[in-house]
Amino acid sequence: MEIPFFIFDLFIFMALACVILALFKYCESRYYLDQTHGDGVDYQQMIKAILVSLFIFVLLNVIGTNMILNTVISSGTLIFCHSFLKKLDKKKKIQAFDKALNEGIQMISTSLRAGLTLRESLLASVKSSPQAFASEIQIVLRDLGLGISMEVALMEMRNRVNTPIANLALGAMIISNRQGGNLPGMLLKIGDTINQRERIAGKLKALTAQGRMQAILVASAPPILFVFMSFYDPKRTALLTQNFMGNCLLALAVILEIIGIVVTRKIMELKY
């Protein structure tokens, strides 16, 4: 029984995926310091990216795309998906931290008004704050245990999170630790500011929900139409998949689609 040709292509792509995994393993060992701050290689993200790229690989083989173009598109999908998933995971962590920040600084403010020091207040907030906030405070406490000063530890936390409201709250702690001041009162005012920002953000998302849905529909229409036509009328799509000029036009269409998605995301990005 003759083995289908695309099986050999699949083996080639799996070997390519293993090579890329080995490269990421090397990067993980080389940049171990980033891993300790939660920014290292996540193999769950890598596996998800490989599964998506394998799906694209099999789909393009069924359609009848050229092997070289198929391998290039699948490899690019692997790299793009891993980078996208990593950025998405980091964005989710930052959003979770921002949501937990208000409760965390309220806890720190209450502890300071009770007479505790800033370090003791941070330790107390770990036990009763949401996990997203508590995990960052644990890193600060670990740095303090290693002999790093409070100001440097808070500055490193500020650089890791790097959101406007976190910079405001951590900046108040740094200035208070350096020069003194009414830190509990400042933290309470910052908490009120966070509540106002959340209300404004909710209104903005509600007002732009229809525009975001339209952008998703417009961006998803070309690939869905191409897959549908590949099964409904393969002779027409073969003009794009079975010759060099068609492959170039197909690659150009993919590039323009990606550029359109990126530009649309930039235009619709909410800044408040």
Side-chain angles (χ1 to χ4, degrees):
M1 181 178 178
E2 185 177 356
I3 301 176
F5 185 72
F6 80 90
I7 295 295
F8 293 103
D9 296 351
L10 183 61
F11 286 149
I12 292 173
F13 181 73
M14 291 178 68
L16 180 63
C18 291
V19 171
I20 294 176
L21 271 176
L23 290 175
F24 273 104
K25 182 65 178 176
Y26 170 76
C27 293
E28 180 187 26
S29 62
R30 182 164 179 168
Y31 299 102
Y32 178 74
L33 183 61
D34 290 336
Q35 169 105 15
T36 60
H37 290 90
D39 196 27
V41 175
D42 187 342
Y43 286 100
Q44 291 183 352
Q45 297 173 359
M46 196 66 198
I47 290 172
K48 291 178 182 178
I50 290 176
L51 291 176
V52 172
S53 57
L54 282 176
F55 172 76
I56 297 296
F57 184 88
V58 174
L59 180 63
L60 291 176
N61 264 290
V62 172
I63 293 173
T65 310
N66 181 276
M67 174 187 169
I68 297 177
L69 181 63
N70 191 355
T71 305
V72 171
I73 293 176
S74 302
S75 303
T77 302
L78 175 62
I79 297 172
F80 172 78
C81 284
H82 180 265
S83 177
F84 175 77
L85 290 173
K86 191 171 183 179
K87 291 180 180 179
L88 185 64
D89 184 65
K90 187 176 182 180
K91 184 178 180 180
K92 287 182 178 179
K93 288 180 179 179
I94 291 176
Q95 289 177 346
F97 179 85
D98 277 345
K99 291 181 179 179
L101 181 60
N102 190 17
E103 186 176 345
I105 62 176
Q106 294 292 342
M107 186 62 196
I108 294 174
S109 177
T110 302
S111 300
L112 289 171
R113 283 184 291 175
L116 300 180
T117 63
L118 180 56
R119 181 169 183 171
E120 293 171 341
S121 300
L122 292 175
L123 182 59
S125 68
V126 171
K127 301 176 182 178
S128 56
S129 298
Q131 179 62 31
F133 182 82
S135 60
E136 289 292 336
I137 297 299
Q138 285 175 342
I139 297 176
V140 173
L141 294 173
R142 184 196 64 188
D143 292 342
L144 294 175
L146 294 174
I148 299 176
S149 65
M150 176 66 74
E151 182 176 344
V152 174
L154 291 175
M155 284 292 294
E156 290 184 356
M157 178 180 173
R158 186 179 181 181
N159 293 333
R160 283 195 304 272
V161 181
N162 195 25
T163 62
I165 199 66
N167 291 340
L168 183 62
L170 295 173
M173 294 182 192
I174 292 170
I175 294 173
S176 176
N177 183 71
R178 184 188 304 167
Q179 298 179 350
N182 184 19
L183 182 57
M186 286 190 290
L187 293 179
L188 286 176
K189 292 181 180 179
I190 292 172
D192 293 336
T193 303
I194 293 174
N195 290 331
Q196 294 176 7
R197 284 172 58 88
E198 289 178 351
R199 286 195 294 268
I200 294 173
K203 291 180 180 179
L204 289 175
K205 288 180 180 179
L207 292 172
T208 58
Q210 183 179 359
R212 291 199 305 272
M213 183 57 65
Q214 291 175 350
I216 292 173
L217 292 175
V218 171
S220 60
I224 293 175
L225 181 61
F226 178 76
V227 173
F228 173 76
M229 290 298 297
S230 298
F231 291 98
Y232 180 74
D233 193 357
K235 292 183 179 180
R236 291 184 181 274
T237 55
L239 297 174
L240 296 174
T241 59
Q242 298 298 328
N243 60 80
F244 177 75
M245 183 59 67
N247 291 340
C248 292
L249 293 175
L250 186 60
L252 179 61
V254 172
I255 293 173
L256 292 176
E257 175 80 4
I258 294 173
I259 293 174
I261 292 173
V262 172
V263 172
T264 304
R265 284 176 59 87
K266 289 293 184 181
I267 293 174
M268 301 190 65
E269 185 177 0
L270 297 177
K271 295 182 180 180
Y272 49 88

